[in-house]
Amino acid sequence: MHIIGAGMAGCIAAILNPTAQILEGAPERPDNHKAVLRFRTREISNLTGIEFETIKVYKSIYYKGLHYSECNPMFANMYSAKVVGKISNRSIWNLDCVERFLAPSDFHKRLLERLESEGRVTYGEKITHISDTAIHTTEDIFERKGGIISTAPIGFMPKITGINFKESVDFGFKNILTIQGIVKDSNVHQTIYYPEVEFPIYRATLTGCKIIVEFKEGDWSEYKELYLIEVLKSFGLYEEQVEFEKDFHIQKFGKISPINEDLRKRYIFDLTDVLEIYSLGRFAIWKNILLDDVLDDLYTIQKLIQSNSYDRKKIRAK
Ligand SMILES: Cc1cc2nc3c(=O)[nH]c(=O)nc-3n(C[C@H](O)[C@H](O)[C@H](O)COP(=O)(O)OP(=O)(O)OC[C@H]3O[C@@H](n4cnc5c(N)ncnc54)[C@H](O)[C@@H]3O)c2cc1C
């Protein structure tokens, strides 16, 4: 089997499918996730053998200098419009203190190192075309070995596969900018949401001794320091306690805009039906899922692969 993409979804898929080969378009190890990585369960830790830390996360909303411990439609809608330009339900509604499992900051690198040592990742193989017999990349042509798991953004698939999807979809997204800082003597886990429209930061997370601040897309370099000071204030921190990195990281597809649910499913279905391509991960299924959900989807994909085409239709219909 081939897996398209060596992001975290592709790596997890490869660990569950020990003979699969990953084809990654980037010329070297991708480092796509510049943020905290929290899980709802330990399942992926158990699967990968990489220890996660159990943490308690406290959350709050900060608006015009005050904290709020409950969300309301005004905050929720302002926040959603700010991050995706549309009104939809976002994580700001969930402010309960929750238990989470924190992956180490080098989680992705460790997965890649393991797969590389097994000779299962090839870089610089950007897929240009997939037929029912072969995978064409900018460099090579690979003979297909059964189904393909794709973690590439679904918006590229019409071009790569030549499938004529009946309706075209605007897979809208916004990049985000993140900036990280080191906080002296901290071991807490807190997230603050900032729904205020004029303030370019929408969320910040203090995780142990690291603070990660997320800005909406834009050029914020001029007043960056002032914005960061406001964030520190909301955490009750002083400038002397934190050392921020100088540069922003651009997180491509940081926020994806939801699309019509029937059309979304139709795209995923057609890819499997016509070319036995199984879509996996946030950008391949165009839904704001977490990596915990990726594991559930992988088990479904395994069932689909093992079934014949009649059974496949039944599983997918569920
Ligand atoms: C600020 C922030 C915080 C987050 N926090 C969490 C969290 O706490 N927990 C959690 O579970 N998730 C979290 N997420 C989501 C998580 O980052 C994503 O779900 C995850 O990184 C997506 O991984 P992926 O492998 O699906 O996609 P990607 O990382 O994008 O991997 C896809 C790969 O496919 C490759 N590719 C694309 N096109 C081609 C092609 N044509 N040919 C070959 N290769 C190709 C790309 O180069 C890329 O490496 C967060 C996201 C953000 C932005």
Side-chain angles (χ1 to χ4, degrees), residues 200-232:
I201 294 162
Y202 64 89
R203 188 169 65 174
T205 298
L206 176 54
T207 186
C209 61
K210 201 186 261 183
I211 185 163
I212 300 167
V213 182
E214 298 167 49
F215 287 71
K216 61 181 184 175
E217 199 170 32
D219 177 9
W220 311 113
S221 39
E222 195 176 351
Y223 298 110
K224 189 181 78 183
E225 271 72 31
L226 287 178
Y227 299 133
L228 292 176
I229 288 171
E230 188 63 19
V231 165
L232 294 184

PDB file of all heavy atoms in Angstrom, residues 200-232:
ATOM      1  N   PRO A 200      -5.790  40.827  16.736  1.00  0.00           N
ATOM      2  CA  PRO A 200      -5.483  39.790  15.735  1.00  0.00           C
ATOM      3  C   PRO A 200      -5.200  38.402  16.309  1.00  0.00           C
ATOM      4  O   PRO A 200      -5.148  37.432  15.577  1.00  0.00           O
ATOM      5  CB  PRO A 200      -4.228  40.340  15.043  1.00  0.00           C
ATOM      6  CG  PRO A 200      -3.607  41.249  16.029  1.00  0.00           C
ATOM      7  CD  PRO A 200      -4.715  41.835  16.844  1.00  0.00           C
ATOM      8  N   ILE A 201      -5.031  38.319  17.626  1.00  0.00           N
ATOM      9  CA  ILE A 201      -4.776  37.009  18.238  1.00  0.00           C
ATOM     10  C   ILE A 201      -6.115  36.382  18.589  1.00  0.00           C
ATOM     11  O   ILE A 201      -7.009  37.067  19.109  1.00  0.00           O
ATOM     12  CB  ILE A 201      -3.908  37.181  19.499  1.00  0.00           C
ATOM     13  CG1 ILE A 201      -2.525  37.678  19.077  1.00  0.00           C
ATOM     14  CG2 ILE A 201      -3.815  35.885  20.309  1.00  0.00           C
ATOM     15  CD1 ILE A 201      -1.709  38.290  20.179  1.00  0.00           C
ATOM     16  N   TYR A 202      -6.284  35.108  18.260  1.00  0.00           N
ATOM     17  CA  TYR A 202      -7.578  34.488  18.602  1.00  0.00           C
ATOM     18  C   TYR A 202      -7.452  33.439  19.706  1.00  0.00           C
ATOM     19  O   TYR A 202      -8.430  33.096  20.363  1.00  0.00           O
ATOM     20  CB  TYR A 202      -8.263  33.908  17.352  1.00  0.00           C
ATOM     21  CG  TYR A 202      -7.506  32.791  16.706  1.00  0.00           C
ATOM     22  CD1 TYR A 202      -7.705  31.479  17.103  1.00  0.00           C
ATOM     23  CD2 TYR A 202      -6.557  33.034  15.721  1.00  0.00           C
ATOM     24  CE1 TYR A 202      -6.991  30.443  16.539  1.00  0.00           C
ATOM     25  CE2 TYR A 202      -5.843  32.009  15.145  1.00  0.00           C
ATOM     26  CZ  TYR A 202      -6.071  30.723  15.563  1.00  0.00           C
ATOM     27  OH  TYR A 202      -5.351  29.691  15.009  1.00  0.00           O
ATOM     28  N   ARG A 203      -6.243  32.907  19.918  1.00  0.00           N
ATOM     29  CA  ARG A 203      -6.100  31.882  20.965  1.00  0.00           C
ATOM     30  C   ARG A 203      -4.645  31.854  21.426  1.00  0.00           C
ATOM     31  O   ARG A 203      -3.733  32.085  20.630  1.00  0.00           O
ATOM     32  CB  ARG A 203      -6.489  30.518  20.386  1.00  0.00           C
ATOM     33  CG  ARG A 203      -6.562  29.404  21.399  1.00  0.00           C
ATOM     34  CD  ARG A 203      -7.198  28.166  20.825  1.00  0.00           C
ATOM     35  NE  ARG A 203      -6.404  27.564  19.753  1.00  0.00           N
ATOM     36  CZ  ARG A 203      -6.685  26.407  19.167  1.00  0.00           C
ATOM     37  NH1 ARG A 203      -7.763  25.721  19.536  1.00  0.00           N
ATOM     38  NH2 ARG A 203      -5.924  25.924  18.215  1.00  0.00           N
ATOM     39  N   ALA A 204      -4.453  31.568  22.686  1.00  0.00           N
ATOM     40  CA  ALA A 204      -3.084  31.378  23.192  1.00  0.00           C
ATOM     41  C   ALA A 204      -3.111  30.237  24.193  1.00  0.00           C
ATOM     42  O   ALA A 204      -4.096  30.052  24.920  1.00  0.00           O
ATOM     43  CB  ALA A 204      -2.569  32.657  23.841  1.00  0.00           C
ATOM     44  N   THR A 205      -2.044  29.465  24.183  1.00  0.00           N
ATOM     45  CA  THR A 205      -1.988  28.286  25.051  1.00  0.00           C
ATOM     46  C   THR A 205      -0.680  28.282  25.824  1.00  0.00           C
ATOM     47  O   THR A 205       0.392  28.411  25.237  1.00  0.00           O
ATOM     48  CB  THR A 205      -2.095  27.003  24.193  1.00  0.00           C
ATOM     49  OG1 THR A 205      -3.361  27.027  23.539  1.00  0.00           O
ATOM     50  CG2 THR A 205      -2.011  25.748  25.039  1.00  0.00           C
ATOM     51  N   LEU A 206      -0.821  28.148  27.124  1.00  0.00           N
ATOM     52  CA  LEU A 206       0.350  28.002  27.988  1.00  0.00           C
ATOM     53  C   LEU A 206       0.435  26.519  28.324  1.00  0.00           C
ATOM     54  O   LEU A 206      -0.510  25.945  28.877  1.00  0.00           O
ATOM     55  CB  LEU A 206       0.145  28.852  29.247  1.00  0.00           C
ATOM     56  CG  LEU A 206       1.191  28.779  30.345  1.00  0.00           C
ATOM     57  CD1 LEU A 206       2.583  29.076  29.818  1.00  0.00           C
ATOM     58  CD2 LEU A 206       0.850  29.777  31.457  1.00  0.00           C
ATOM     59  N   THR A 207       1.521  25.900  27.912  1.00  0.00           N
ATOM     60  CA  THR A 207       1.626  24.456  28.116  1.00  0.00           C
ATOM     61  C   THR A 207       2.990  24.154  28.723  1.00  0.00           C
ATOM     62  O   THR A 207       4.003  24.212  28.049  1.00  0.00           O
ATOM     63  CB  THR A 207       1.338  23.682  26.808  1.00  0.00           C
ATOM     64  OG1 THR A 207       1.322  22.312  27.112  1.00  0.00           O
ATOM     65  CG2 THR A 207       2.270  23.990  25.670  1.00  0.00           C
ATOM     66  N   GLY A 208       2.985  23.931  30.032  1.00  0.00           N
ATOM     67  CA  GLY A 208       4.255  23.772  30.735  1.00  0.00           C
ATOM     68  C   GLY A 208       5.019  25.077  30.653  1.00  0.00           C
ATOM     69  O   GLY A 208       4.490  26.154  30.955  1.00  0.00           O
ATOM     70  N   CYS A 209       6.236  25.007  30.149  1.00  0.00           N
ATOM     71  CA  CYS A 209       7.041  26.241  30.088  1.00  0.00           C
ATOM     72  C   CYS A 209       6.992  26.881  28.704  1.00  0.00           C
ATOM     73  O   CYS A 209       7.820  27.713  28.377  1.00  0.00           O
ATOM     74  CB  CYS A 209       8.470  25.956  30.514  1.00  0.00           C
ATOM     75  SG  CYS A 209       9.226  24.758  29.441  1.00  0.00           S
ATOM     76  N   LYS A 210       6.022  26.472  27.892  1.00  0.00           N
ATOM     77  CA  LYS A 210       5.940  27.043  26.541  1.00  0.00           C
ATOM     78  C   LYS A 210       4.617  27.784  26.371  1.00  0.00           C
ATOM     79  O   LYS A 210       3.570  27.308  26.841  1.00  0.00           O
ATOM     80  CB  LYS A 210       5.994  25.881  25.545  1.00  0.00           C
ATOM     81  CG  LYS A 210       6.432  26.320  24.159  1.00  0.00           C
ATOM     82  CD  LYS A 210       6.323  25.182  23.189  1.00  0.00           C
ATOM     83  CE  LYS A 210       7.614  24.483  22.920  1.00  0.00           C
ATOM     84  NZ  LYS A 210       7.441  23.431  21.900  1.00  0.00           N
ATOM     85  N   ILE A 211       4.669  28.950  25.733  1.00  0.00           N
ATOM     86  CA  ILE A 211       3.414  29.631  25.396  1.00  0.00           C
ATOM     87  C   ILE A 211       3.337  29.721  23.873  1.00  0.00           C
ATOM     88  O   ILE A 211       4.341  30.040  23.210  1.00  0.00           O
ATOM     89  CB  ILE A 211       3.304  31.015  26.079  1.00  0.00           C
ATOM     90  CG1 ILE A 211       1.935  31.638  25.815  1.00  0.00           C
ATOM     91  CG2 ILE A 211       4.391  31.985  25.660  1.00  0.00           C
ATOM     92  CD1 ILE A 211       1.589  32.788  26.763  1.00  0.00           C
ATOM     93  N   ILE A 212       2.171  29.371  23.321  1.00  0.00           N
ATOM     94  CA  ILE A 212       1.995  29.404  21.869  1.00  0.00           C
ATOM     95  C   ILE A 212       0.835  30.341  21.564  1.00  0.00           C
ATOM     96  O   ILE A 212      -0.294  30.134  22.041  1.00  0.00           O
ATOM     97  CB  ILE A 212       1.724  27.995  21.304  1.00  0.00           C
ATOM     98  CG1 ILE A 212       2.924  27.107  21.636  1.00  0.00           C
ATOM     99  CG2 ILE A 212       1.499  28.045  19.789  1.00  0.00           C
ATOM    100  CD1 ILE A 212       2.695  25.660  21.430  1.00  0.00           C
ATOM    101  N   VAL A 213       1.132  31.383  20.800  1.00  0.00           N
ATOM    102  CA  VAL A 213       0.124  32.406  20.518  1.00  0.00           C
ATOM    103  C   VAL A 213      -0.264  32.284  19.051  1.00  0.00           C
ATOM    104  O   VAL A 213       0.606  32.220  18.176  1.00  0.00           O
ATOM    105  CB  VAL A 213       0.701  33.813  20.813  1.00  0.00           C
ATOM    106  CG1 VAL A 213      -0.354  34.876  20.580  1.00  0.00           C
ATOM    107  CG2 VAL A 213       1.235  33.879  22.236  1.00  0.00           C
ATOM    108  N   GLU A 214      -1.583  32.236  18.793  1.00  0.00           N
ATOM    109  CA  GLU A 214      -2.063  32.059  17.411  1.00  0.00           C
ATOM    110  C   GLU A 214      -2.701  33.337  16.901  1.00  0.00           C
ATOM    111  O   GLU A 214      -3.667  33.833  17.487  1.00  0.00           O
ATOM    112  CB  GLU A 214      -3.081  30.918  17.364  1.00  0.00           C
ATOM    113  CG  GLU A 214      -2.488  29.587  17.789  1.00  0.00           C
ATOM    114  CD  GLU A 214      -3.552  28.532  18.040  1.00  0.00           C
ATOM    115  OE1 GLU A 214      -4.440  28.337  17.188  1.00  0.00           O
ATOM    116  OE2 GLU A 214      -3.524  27.917  19.125  1.00  0.00           O
ATOM    117  N   PHE A 215      -2.155  33.853  15.799  1.00  0.00           N
ATOM    118  CA  PHE A 215      -2.669  35.066  15.165  1.00  0.00           C
ATOM    119  C   PHE A 215      -3.466  34.680  13.924  1.00  0.00           C
ATOM    120  O   PHE A 215      -3.063  33.756  13.207  1.00  0.00           O
ATOM    121  CB  PHE A 215      -1.522  35.953  14.653  1.00  0.00           C
ATOM    122  CG  PHE A 215      -0.737  36.675  15.697  1.00  0.00           C
ATOM    123  CD1 PHE A 215       0.116  36.007  16.552  1.00  0.00           C
ATOM    124  CD2 PHE A 215      -0.814  38.051  15.792  1.00  0.00           C
ATOM    125  CE1 PHE A 215       0.882  36.693  17.490  1.00  0.00           C
ATOM    126  CE2 PHE A 215      -0.048  38.752  16.723  1.00  0.00           C
ATOM    127  CZ  PHE A 215       0.796  38.069  17.579  1.00  0.00           C
ATOM    128  N   LYS A 216      -4.526  35.448  13.625  1.00  0.00           N
ATOM    129  CA  LYS A 216      -5.175  35.233  12.334  1.00  0.00           C
ATOM    130  C   LYS A 216      -4.248  35.743  11.240  1.00  0.00           C
ATOM    131  O   LYS A 216      -3.286  36.474  11.511  1.00  0.00           O
ATOM    132  CB  LYS A 216      -6.546  35.891  12.282  1.00  0.00           C
ATOM    133  CG  LYS A 216      -6.567  37.383  12.451  1.00  0.00           C
ATOM    134  CD  LYS A 216      -8.002  37.885  12.404  1.00  0.00           C
ATOM    135  CE  LYS A 216      -8.018  39.395  12.474  1.00  0.00           C
ATOM    136  NZ  LYS A 216      -9.332  39.984  12.331  1.00  0.00           N
ATOM    137  N   GLU A 217      -4.571  35.324   9.981  1.00  0.00           N
ATOM    138  CA  GLU A 217      -3.720  35.685   8.843  1.00  0.00           C
ATOM    139  C   GLU A 217      -3.573  37.206   8.725  1.00  0.00           C
ATOM    140  O   GLU A 217      -4.555  37.926   8.920  1.00  0.00           O
ATOM    141  CB  GLU A 217      -4.378  35.135   7.578  1.00  0.00           C
ATOM    142  CG  GLU A 217      -3.464  35.008   6.422  1.00  0.00           C
ATOM    143  CD  GLU A 217      -4.134  34.213   5.291  1.00  0.00           C
ATOM    144  OE1 GLU A 217      -5.368  34.300   5.135  1.00  0.00           O
ATOM    145  OE2 GLU A 217      -3.409  33.519   4.571  1.00  0.00           O
ATOM    146  N   GLY A 218      -2.399  37.691   8.416  1.00  0.00           N
ATOM    147  CA  GLY A 218      -2.220  39.136   8.236  1.00  0.00           C
ATOM    148  C   GLY A 218      -0.791  39.535   8.550  1.00  0.00           C
ATOM    149  O   GLY A 218       0.019  38.708   8.985  1.00  0.00           O
ATOM    150  N   ASP A 219      -0.488  40.809   8.327  1.00  0.00           N
ATOM    151  CA  ASP A 219       0.849  41.294   8.649  1.00  0.00           C
ATOM    152  C   ASP A 219       0.774  42.038   9.981  1.00  0.00           C
ATOM    153  O   ASP A 219       0.331  43.186  10.045  1.00  0.00           O
ATOM    154  CB  ASP A 219       1.353  42.223   7.532  1.00  0.00           C
ATOM    155  CG  ASP A 219       2.720  42.794   7.880  1.00  0.00           C
ATOM    156  OD1 ASP A 219       3.316  42.337   8.884  1.00  0.00           O
ATOM    157  OD2 ASP A 219       3.180  43.700   7.174  1.00  0.00           O
ATOM    158  N   TRP A 220       1.195  41.386  11.036  1.00  0.00           N
ATOM    159  CA  TRP A 220       1.047  41.946  12.385  1.00  0.00           C
ATOM    160  C   TRP A 220       2.376  42.371  12.974  1.00  0.00           C
ATOM    161  O   TRP A 220       2.474  42.636  14.162  1.00  0.00           O
ATOM    162  CB  TRP A 220       0.371  40.913  13.314  1.00  0.00           C
ATOM    163  CG  TRP A 220      -0.851  40.326  12.718  1.00  0.00           C
ATOM    164  CD1 TRP A 220      -1.035  39.035  12.322  1.00  0.00           C
ATOM    165  CD2 TRP A 220      -2.059  41.010  12.386  1.00  0.00           C
ATOM    166  NE1 TRP A 220      -2.276  38.868  11.776  1.00  0.00           N
ATOM    167  CE2 TRP A 220      -2.928  40.074  11.803  1.00  0.00           C
ATOM    168  CE3 TRP A 220      -2.500  42.333  12.519  1.00  0.00           C
ATOM    169  CZ2 TRP A 220      -4.212  40.399  11.350  1.00  0.00           C
ATOM    170  CZ3 TRP A 220      -3.779  42.670  12.070  1.00  0.00           C
ATOM    171  CH2 TRP A 220      -4.602  41.715  11.499  1.00  0.00           C
ATOM    172  N   SER A 221       3.427  42.425  12.120  1.00  0.00           N
ATOM    173  CA  SER A 221       4.763  42.637  12.681  1.00  0.00           C
ATOM    174  C   SER A 221       4.898  43.990  13.393  1.00  0.00           C
ATOM    175  O   SER A 221       5.576  44.090  14.408  1.00  0.00           O
ATOM    176  CB  SER A 221       5.832  42.474  11.604  1.00  0.00           C
ATOM    177  OG  SER A 221       5.382  43.021  10.409  1.00  0.00           O
ATOM    178  N   GLU A 222       4.199  45.032  12.898  1.00  0.00           N
ATOM    179  CA  GLU A 222       4.419  46.364  13.448  1.00  0.00           C
ATOM    180  C   GLU A 222       4.084  46.453  14.943  1.00  0.00           C
ATOM    181  O   GLU A 222       4.843  46.988  15.737  1.00  0.00           O
ATOM    182  CB  GLU A 222       3.603  47.389  12.647  1.00  0.00           C
ATOM    183  CG  GLU A 222       4.070  48.796  12.924  1.00  0.00           C
ATOM    184  CD  GLU A 222       3.343  49.822  12.055  1.00  0.00           C
ATOM    185  OE1 GLU A 222       2.599  49.439  11.124  1.00  0.00           O
ATOM    186  OE2 GLU A 222       3.512  51.004  12.345  1.00  0.00           O
ATOM    187  N   TYR A 223       2.909  45.922  15.311  1.00  0.00           N
ATOM    188  CA  TYR A 223       2.483  46.050  16.720  1.00  0.00           C
ATOM    189  C   TYR A 223       2.571  44.720  17.476  1.00  0.00           C
ATOM    190  O   TYR A 223       1.917  44.543  18.502  1.00  0.00           O
ATOM    191  CB  TYR A 223       1.052  46.602  16.796  1.00  0.00           C
ATOM    192  CG  TYR A 223       0.936  47.981  16.190  1.00  0.00           C
ATOM    193  CD1 TYR A 223       0.262  48.176  14.995  1.00  0.00           C
ATOM    194  CD2 TYR A 223       1.527  49.072  16.817  1.00  0.00           C
ATOM    195  CE1 TYR A 223       0.178  49.438  14.419  1.00  0.00           C
ATOM    196  CE2 TYR A 223       1.451  50.334  16.256  1.00  0.00           C
ATOM    197  CZ  TYR A 223       0.779  50.515  15.055  1.00  0.00           C
ATOM    198  OH  TYR A 223       0.711  51.756  14.502  1.00  0.00           O
ATOM    199  N   LYS A 224       3.357  43.799  16.908  1.00  0.00           N
ATOM    200  CA  LYS A 224       3.445  42.454  17.489  1.00  0.00           C
ATOM    201  C   LYS A 224       3.698  42.491  18.996  1.00  0.00           C
ATOM    202  O   LYS A 224       3.008  41.815  19.768  1.00  0.00           O
ATOM    203  CB  LYS A 224       4.574  41.704  16.773  1.00  0.00           C
ATOM    204  CG  LYS A 224       4.664  40.258  17.103  1.00  0.00           C
ATOM    205  CD  LYS A 224       5.818  39.625  16.359  1.00  0.00           C
ATOM    206  CE  LYS A 224       7.134  39.946  17.030  1.00  0.00           C
ATOM    207  NZ  LYS A 224       8.317  39.451  16.358  1.00  0.00           N
ATOM    208  N   GLU A 225       4.662  43.294  19.438  1.00  0.00           N
ATOM    209  CA  GLU A 225       5.041  43.319  20.860  1.00  0.00           C
ATOM    210  C   GLU A 225       3.857  43.744  21.728  1.00  0.00           C
ATOM    211  O   GLU A 225       3.602  43.169  22.783  1.00  0.00           O
ATOM    212  CB  GLU A 225       6.234  44.253  21.119  1.00  0.00           C
ATOM    213  CG  GLU A 225       7.587  43.574  20.981  1.00  0.00           C
ATOM    214  CD  GLU A 225       7.931  43.276  19.531  1.00  0.00           C
ATOM    215  OE1 GLU A 225       7.485  44.053  18.661  1.00  0.00           O
ATOM    216  OE2 GLU A 225       8.598  42.261  19.255  1.00  0.00           O
ATOM    217  N   LEU A 226       3.115  44.747  21.242  1.00  0.00           N
ATOM    218  CA  LEU A 226       1.965  45.235  22.034  1.00  0.00           C
ATOM    219  C   LEU A 226       0.906  44.142  22.183  1.00  0.00           C
ATOM    220  O   LEU A 226       0.341  43.939  23.259  1.00  0.00           O
ATOM    221  CB  LEU A 226       1.325  46.458  21.351  1.00  0.00           C
ATOM    222  CG  LEU A 226       2.129  47.752  21.435  1.00  0.00           C
ATOM    223  CD1 LEU A 226       1.430  48.862  20.685  1.00  0.00           C
ATOM    224  CD2 LEU A 226       2.319  48.140  22.901  1.00  0.00           C
ATOM    225  N   TYR A 227       0.656  43.431  21.081  1.00  0.00           N
ATOM    226  CA  TYR A 227      -0.335  42.345  21.150  1.00  0.00           C
ATOM    227  C   TYR A 227       0.121  41.261  22.132  1.00  0.00           C
ATOM    228  O   TYR A 227      -0.662  40.737  22.916  1.00  0.00           O
ATOM    229  CB  TYR A 227      -0.544  41.706  19.772  1.00  0.00           C
ATOM    230  CG  TYR A 227      -1.058  42.659  18.705  1.00  0.00           C
ATOM    231  CD1 TYR A 227      -0.477  42.691  17.437  1.00  0.00           C
ATOM    232  CD2 TYR A 227      -2.127  43.500  18.961  1.00  0.00           C
ATOM    233  CE1 TYR A 227      -0.938  43.551  16.460  1.00  0.00           C
ATOM    234  CE2 TYR A 227      -2.592  44.370  17.976  1.00  0.00           C
ATOM    235  CZ  TYR A 227      -1.992  44.400  16.734  1.00  0.00           C
ATOM    236  OH  TYR A 227      -2.457  45.240  15.772  1.00  0.00           O
ATOM    237  N   LEU A 228       1.415  40.952  22.073  1.00  0.00           N
ATOM    238  CA  LEU A 228       1.924  39.888  22.946  1.00  0.00           C
ATOM    239  C   LEU A 228       1.855  40.309  24.416  1.00  0.00           C
ATOM    240  O   LEU A 228       1.557  39.498  25.295  1.00  0.00           O
ATOM    241  CB  LEU A 228       3.353  39.500  22.550  1.00  0.00           C
ATOM    242  CG  LEU A 228       3.474  38.793  21.188  1.00  0.00           C
ATOM    243  CD1 LEU A 228       4.934  38.542  20.824  1.00  0.00           C
ATOM    244  CD2 LEU A 228       2.717  37.458  21.190  1.00  0.00           C
ATOM    245  N   ILE A 229       2.085  41.594  24.676  1.00  0.00           N
ATOM    246  CA  ILE A 229       1.997  42.076  26.065  1.00  0.00           C
ATOM    247  C   ILE A 229       0.561  41.913  26.577  1.00  0.00           C
ATOM    248  O   ILE A 229       0.324  41.516  27.723  1.00  0.00           O
ATOM    249  CB  ILE A 229       2.470  43.547  26.157  1.00  0.00           C
ATOM    250  CG1 ILE A 229       3.988  43.588  25.985  1.00  0.00           C
ATOM    251  CG2 ILE A 229       2.068  44.188  27.492  1.00  0.00           C
ATOM    252  CD1 ILE A 229       4.572  44.979  25.833  1.00  0.00           C
ATOM    253  N   GLU A 230      -0.410  42.169  25.705  1.00  0.00           N
ATOM    254  CA  GLU A 230      -1.819  42.011  26.096  1.00  0.00           C
ATOM    255  C   GLU A 230      -2.121  40.540  26.425  1.00  0.00           C
ATOM    256  O   GLU A 230      -2.836  40.226  27.367  1.00  0.00           O
ATOM    257  CB  GLU A 230      -2.718  42.526  24.955  1.00  0.00           C
ATOM    258  CG  GLU A 230      -4.206  42.605  25.268  1.00  0.00           C
ATOM    259  CD  GLU A 230      -4.573  43.587  26.385  1.00  0.00           C
ATOM    260  OE1 GLU A 230      -3.747  44.471  26.695  1.00  0.00           O
ATOM    261  OE2 GLU A 230      -5.677  43.422  26.954  1.00  0.00           O
ATOM    262  N   VAL A 231      -1.527  39.650  25.635  1.00  0.00           N
ATOM    263  CA  VAL A 231      -1.708  38.212  25.906  1.00  0.00           C
ATOM    264  C   VAL A 231      -1.099  37.856  27.262  1.00  0.00           C
ATOM    265  O   VAL A 231      -1.723  37.161  28.077  1.00  0.00           O
ATOM    266  CB  VAL A 231      -1.081  37.348  24.775  1.00  0.00           C
ATOM    267  CG1 VAL A 231      -0.941  35.902  25.196  1.00  0.00           C
ATOM    268  CG2 VAL A 231      -1.922  37.445  23.528  1.00  0.00           C
ATOM    269  N   LEU A 232       0.104  38.361  27.503  1.00  0.00           N
ATOM    270  CA  LEU A 232       0.754  38.067  28.796  1.00  0.00           C
ATOM    271  C   LEU A 232      -0.118  38.577  29.939  1.00  0.00           C
ATOM    272  O   LEU A 232      -0.305  37.900  30.953  1.00  0.00           O
ATOM    273  CB  LEU A 232       2.152  38.687  28.854  1.00  0.00           C
ATOM    274  CG  LEU A 232       3.173  38.098  27.882  1.00  0.00           C
ATOM    275  CD1 LEU A 232       4.537  38.723  28.108  1.00  0.00           C
ATOM    276  CD2 LEU A 232       3.266  36.582  28.045  1.00  0.00           C
TER     277      LEU A 232
END
